[in-house]
Each structure stands twice: as structure tokens, then as C-alpha cells.
Amino acid sequence: MKKRISIVGILSLMLIFIVSCTDDLNITPNDDDTLLGSELFQNEGAYRQVIAGVYANLALTGTEGAGSSNIEGIDAGTSQFGRVLLYMQTLAADQMIWSYENDPGTRELQRNIWTAQNPLILGMYSRTHLTIALANNFLRETTDAKLDSRGVSQATRQEIVAFRAEARLLRALSYYYMMDLFGKANFGTEADPINAVLPEANRAELFSFIESELLAIESDLIAAGQNEYGRADRGVAYMILAKLYLNAQVYIGQDRYADCLNYCNQLLGSGYELADNYLHNFMADNNTNSANKEIIFPIVSDGFTTQNFGPTTVMVNGSVGSIEVNGEEVGVGAGGWGGALRVRREFAELWQGGDFGSDARNTIISEGRPIGIVDISDRDTGFIIQKYSNATSTGGFGVDQTFVDTDFPLFRLADVYLMYAEATLRGGGGSVSTAVQLVNELRTRANNPNMIDETDLTLQFILDERSRELHWEAHRRQDLIRYGLYTGGNYNWAWKGNGSNGIAIPNHFDLYPIPNLSLSSNPNLTQNPGY
């Protein structure tokens, strides 16, 4: 059983944000009194705490409660990493609708009419670059020369080898999302002077860096599935590489499906297993129940120690229906957030026309509700779902009725199964019979009686099955772009392009704009075409 990464370590390091470690990426933390100086490292336990602080930036926004932000000028509600990732990959696609369009940035994202002024886009850009800056600073502070000067023990040095690899992985993960969402980034490593004005790296340059970094650190990472829960290991590196190669045609115009299959096979042979119950992946005890076998990398959430308005808190509270008032059964207040989240018609229709009634992945609640959403502010229209929960697999609930204990499964094994199938169909060289077997294992786990055969396995089927299996897990925009269905008018969904039935959107919306504030901070940055 994996152990959860130390929450105490995470919290202590949320206090250690300094201007000097983030000036190189044009980010200014709010706390001017917290310094990563030599005094901190007098205690060798600080190295573990410092790497925990890099992880913490994926979950927390500040140290003074859920509403605090450690980035100057950036609101906590628009910069929690998992939440803004969910919004940019899911809310901006065909699965989710947010009812309260006066919330900053949400209207523009879910109607696909965003600009470079959008605060959620700025929040993602800034938060991700802060992770890069923190990782760079950890690497600067753990060179052999620095460790020699401090007389660090051999035992701690051995731990630092893995810590440094994890810092490089978290930096590569951050650049991966920058590449996917923006197609470019401010680019800096620990080798750059702290106050340097950094160059811009394009998609091809980022792809090359991410790939080379993950390959270089493989031997220094802890074996797949063997690290403490919440810490990255080789399995996470393999997962990023698999997704990098699956989307390489989009990123760099190259077919890398065989490489995707290679890393899918690495993951399939690394000891991960599907959770016994599909919904265990989305419950308050998903760090200890059977989901512990399936989740490859989570964004940690704790309703007491690390309260934040992250993706699972948003989805559990937001999914409580305005009519159903079903919050108590999912472990939050009875009314939740009053119908904040619903699903779009196109997602609901994926469960129609087939025998999906017993499918555990189908958590749609439809009684008394029309399927369509004509007026986004009418919270009684459109179906709702009950996928995420603050309840436990043993009948209990999380410790808080607002801030949930449910970790967000950023990467999990089911995605590997479906990537294997897709890369096989795209000519990567995998086994079609194995792909069918993997899909049927997912359906068996979900209690879906409809097994498929090789004639059913098409690219369109995989796209639909990915939506059924992985909905609201921050994958959908990327999937639609890979299929050539996000921009243009070949596939329109409700409220795409600000039309109630959906209209075509320009191709430049396959990338988000570089925020205006970021452009003004670095003269080397250029705006994406069309903005």
C-alpha cells in the first residue's frame, strides 16, 4: 500500500516562495519574507520538504486558506492548477457546462470565445510557470557543489538523486501542458541566471526537451508504482511519454504511435491494475481503496490539511443538482453549489442507443430534466452526473462538507488501455486482439454486458469510449484536437462558438493565447496567430 506524501512537508514548503527563484519566469510571489537561503538547509530534512513544495503547487494556491494566492495579482479561484486544467481541457469542450457565468473567465471558455485577457488562461500560464521555477530552484540548490559545501550526508544524497529526478519530471510535466495548451512557453532551466529575460521555446523545442528529460531521468526515478502515493515515479514518466507520442502528429507533425505503444506496454507491465470498482477512482478514500492500484499520478486533496477549490471540490459540490438537492449522499452540504455543473447534450447522448443502463460509468441523473440546455443560467435544465464523491468506499465521508478528500486522478491505467487501442488503430503496430481485450476489461469492470469484437474497434468508437471512461478528467479538448474535431465545423456541440446548438470556431482556437500580462512581462514572447 502506498503512503500519502507528507502533508506537513507540503504545507511547510508552501511558505517558501521567493522572488529570486521566480523572477526568471516573470512571476512574483506574494510572500516577500520567505527565502530559500542557506539557513533552511541546515536541517537535512529540508530537502524532502522543498521537493514537497514543488508538488504542493499542483494542489494549493497559498498558505492562508483556500482563498489565498501566492502569486501576486493572480486570484486563487482562477489559478488552482487542477481546476484551471479541468476548465481548459473539459469545460472548453463538449462534456461540461458551468451555470454561473459571472465567475471570471468561465463564460468565455465554455462558449469558445476567449481572448488573451481571460483570467483562467492567465492563471494556468502563471501557475504552471511557477512549478517550473520552483523545480529549477530545487535543482540549483541540490548540485554536488552545494551539497559538498553543506556537508550533506551520504544517506541524504542518495534520497536527493530521486528528488532531483522528480523535480525534473514535474518541470517536464509543466512544459508538457504549456506545449499542449499554448504551443510555446518562457523557457528556462536551472542553468539560466535567476534574473535572466528568458527566450521563448516553440512546440518542437518543448517536445524535444520534454522527451529528452524524461528519458534522461528514468534510471534515477523510483520504479513504477513503488514511490509514496502522491510522488512521481517511472510510471508517471512513461505516462507523459505515451501521451506525448500519441499526440506527436499534432505537436510536431510526426507519427510516433509505435513509441506510444512502447510506453503503454511499459505501463501495462509495471504492476498497475484496474480498481475493483470504477467509482473507487473518484471517492474520498481513493488513496487507500482499490483505486490505489489504478491511479498512476494524483493531484492530492485533503479536506482538512490542504483545503483548496481544486477540481474535485468543484466537481463534487458543483454536481449537486438544483432539483435533486443530493449533496448529503456525496458527502457535502445538501444543496452543494446549487446546480453549478451539468453535462452538455452531446455527452448525455453517448449513453443512449445502447445497453448502458447498468454501466457503472453512467452516473447521469435525468429524471425531471430536459436533455438540452437552452439557457445556461437555468440550472433545472440539462442532465447532471454523480461521478465524483466525497463519500468513501466503506460508507463514510470526507472530513469536511465543502473541501473534499477526493484526489484528482490526473493519470490512471484505464487511459493507458485506451491509448494502446487508439495507437494500434493508427498504425503503431500493436495487437488488435489485445486492444479489444483491454477495452472489454474496462467494460467488464463497469458491469457493461456489451463486449466488443474487432469489427467494433474503430477510431470513432475509441473517441466515444474515451469520453465514457475518462469524462471530466481533463482529457477531452486534447482528444478532439487529435481527431481534428475541435475547431472548424465538422463536429459542433451545444454552445460551441457561442451558439446554443454549436457553430464552427476558427482553427487558431486549437491553441490558447499567451496572456497579455505575460507578453508585457517578457519581450521575447510572441502571441499565437489569430489573437
Side-chain angles (χ1 to χ4, degrees), residues 126-436:
S126 302
R127 181 64 58 188
T128 306
H129 274 96
L130 181 53
T131 297
I132 295 166
L134 293 169
N136 284 342
N137 197 69
F138 179 82
L139 294 169
R140 291 187 187 106
E141 294 293 336
T142 53
T143 62
D144 286 340
K146 288 283 183 75
L147 300 181
D148 288 343
S149 70
R150 296 170 187 150
V152 175
S153 69
Q154 190 60 38
T156 298
R157 283 172 179 260
Q158 290 177 347
E159 284 191 306
I160 288 172
V161 171
F163 293 164
R164 284 179 60 85
E166 291 171 45
R168 292 171 70 180
L169 184 148
L170 293 172
R171 181 176 63 185
L173 175 69
S174 299
Y175 277 128
Y176 162 75
Y177 282 118
M178 294 301 298
M179 177 188 63
D180 182 77
L181 296 166
F182 298 98
K184 59 179 65 173
N186 300 4
F187 185 75
T189 70
E190 73 276 16
D192 291 291
I194 285 177
N195 294 313
V197 178
L198 294 173
E200 175 182 277
N202 63 30
R203 226 174 196 177
E205 291 166 333
L206 290 173
F207 186 102
S208 178
F209 175 79
I210 296 160
E211 180 183 31
S212 62
E213 278 288 277
L214 294 174
L215 294 175
I217 63 176
E218 179 180 358
S219 62
D220 288 337
L221 288 166
I222 292 172
Q226 299 304 306
N227 210 345
E228 293 175 285
Y229 181 85
R231 280 178 60 191
D233 53 29
R234 285 179 209 160
V236 182
Y238 296 160
M239 191 73 177
I240 301 169
L241 285 166
K243 298 186 85 64
L244 190 74
Y245 296 137
L246 183 67
N247 293 284
Q249 197 71 56
V250 172
Y251 298 151
I252 58 173
Q254 294 181 16
D255 175 340
R256 301 291 297 273
Y257 300 118
D259 292 319
C260 174
L261 279 167
N262 175 39
Y263 282 97
C264 286
N265 281 322
Q266 295 266 26
L267 286 159
L268 293 172
S270 291
Y272 298 105
E273 299 176 32
L274 294 181
D276 301 338
N277 183 314
Y278 174 76
L279 292 177
H280 281 185
N281 288 296
F282 316 104
M283 302 186 82
D285 60 345
N286 60 355
N287 64 306
T288 57
N289 68 26
S290 70
N292 186 270
K293 303 182 295 184
E294 178 170 352
I295 295 175
I296 295 170
F297 190 54
I299 298 177
V300 174
S301 180
D302 184 278
F304 177 72
T305 311
T306 57
Q307 292 186 349
N308 65 84
F309 290 104
T312 51
T313 286
V314 169
M315 287 186 285
V316 175
N317 286 279
S319 297
V320 176
S322 57
I323 299 171
E324 296 77 7
V325 194
N326 55 318
E328 289 185 358
E329 64 187 89
V330 295
V332 295
W337 292 351
L341 286 172
R342 289 161 288 153
V343 298
R344 305 194 198 214
R345 174 192 291 271
E346 290 72 20
F347 174 75
E349 289 174 344
L350 282 177
W351 303 99
Q352 299 178 349
D355 188 5
F356 290 105
S358 63
D359 195 309
R361 303 170 300 180
N362 178 8
T363 63
I364 284 177
I365 298 173
S366 60
E367 186 175 354
R369 291 175 165 273
I371 191 172
I373 300 173
V374 178
D375 177 356
I376 290 177
S377 67
D378 184 353
R379 292 166 289 154
D380 295 344
T381 61
F383 296 169
I384 63 173
I385 64 173
Q386 197 167 292
K387 174 172 178 171
Y388 288 89
S389 170
N390 195 32
T392 70
S393 59
T394 57
F397 296 101
V399 297
D400 190 272
Q401 286 194 312
T402 297
F403 301 105
V404 304
D405 284 350
T406 312
D407 297 340
F408 182 68
L410 189 66
F411 298 139
R412 63 185 179 92
L413 183 62
D415 192 2
V416 180
Y417 282 24
L418 294 169
M419 286 195 293
Y420 181 100
E422 182 179 339
T424 297
L425 290 175
R426 292 188 184 275
S431 163
V432 174
S433 62
T434 298
V436 168

